[in-house]
Amino acid sequence: GISWRWIFFINVPVAGIGLVLTLVAKVDDRRRREPIDLVGALLVAVGAGALVVGLQQASSWGWSDLKTLVCLAGGVIVLGVFVEVERARANPLVRVRFFENRTFRSQNVILFFASAAFVPVFFFASVYAQVSPVKLWNGPFILPVNGPISTAFG
């Protein structure tokens, strides 16, 4: 019979459409001669990793614990070094000079805060759907919330 697990089959037609669009797009596939920025990759991985560990473990270690503070401060410092290293590179992993454009920077700040505002909406909508007395409407309940937001912010 049909069960909730059938929802995972939505990936099959989406992947098929993606493959067809990839073939139709005729993307230039010539190999680039630019070297891989291994230093930048290492710095962003260590910096982001330290921040994630600090934020994730703060509830266990405590926000004022030395381990938490070292992870958070270390992550910020390493990411700051990453930005400076990327500015000096001829072929950077991330072209941080894009952020010198006021429009680009403003759009990213707006998107950051909009995304941060909608995370609680998704969380509380799913929690409410789980505890609502009408179990039949759990999925459709979240659609009005997810649909417009996902199309607006892509």
Side-chain angles (χ1 to χ4, degrees):
I2 295 178
S3 72
W4 65 270
R5 291 175 181 88
W6 279 72
I7 191 65
F8 296 113
F9 286 115
I10 190 68
N11 295 325
V12 175
V14 169
I17 291 169
L19 289 172
V20 169
L21 291 175
T22 300
L23 295 173
V24 171
K26 298 189 189 315
V27 176
D28 183 20
D29 61 352
R30 285 181 286 155
R31 187 173 182 91
R32 295 183 190 177
R33 300 284 179 217
E34 300 160 358
I36 297 173
D37 183 11
L38 294 176
V39 173
L42 180 67
L43 286 171
V44 77
V46 169
L51 278 176
V52 168
V53 168
L55 291 170
Q56 181 67 34
Q57 294 300 321
S59 62
S60 302
W61 295 341
W63 283 98
S64 59
D65 189 85
L66 183 62
K67 292 180 286 194
T68 302
L69 297 175
V70 166
C71 284
L72 294 175
V76 169
I77 290 168
V78 171
L79 288 176
V81 170
F82 166 76
V83 168
E84 291 306 314
V85 166
E86 294 302 289
R87 280 189 178 164
R89 295 261 172 182
N91 296 306
L93 187 66
V94 175
R95 289 184 176 93
V96 292
R97 297 211 186 273
F98 283 140
F99 288 95
E100 292 173 4
N101 181 320
R102 188 173 143 228
T103 304
F104 182 79
R105 186 176 55 243
S106 300
Q107 290 173 343
N108 276 277
V109 168
I110 290 167
L111 183 61
F112 172 79
F113 285 112
S115 299
F118 284 114
V119 166
V121 171
F122 296 133
F123 174 75
F124 288 116
S126 64
V127 169
Y128 178 76
Q130 291 175 30
V131 299
S132 71
V134 183
K135 298 297 182 197
L136 178 66
W137 292 100
N138 288 354
F141 169 76
I142 297 177
L143 281 177
V145 175
N146 287 349
I149 292 170
S150 62
T151 51
F153 294 104

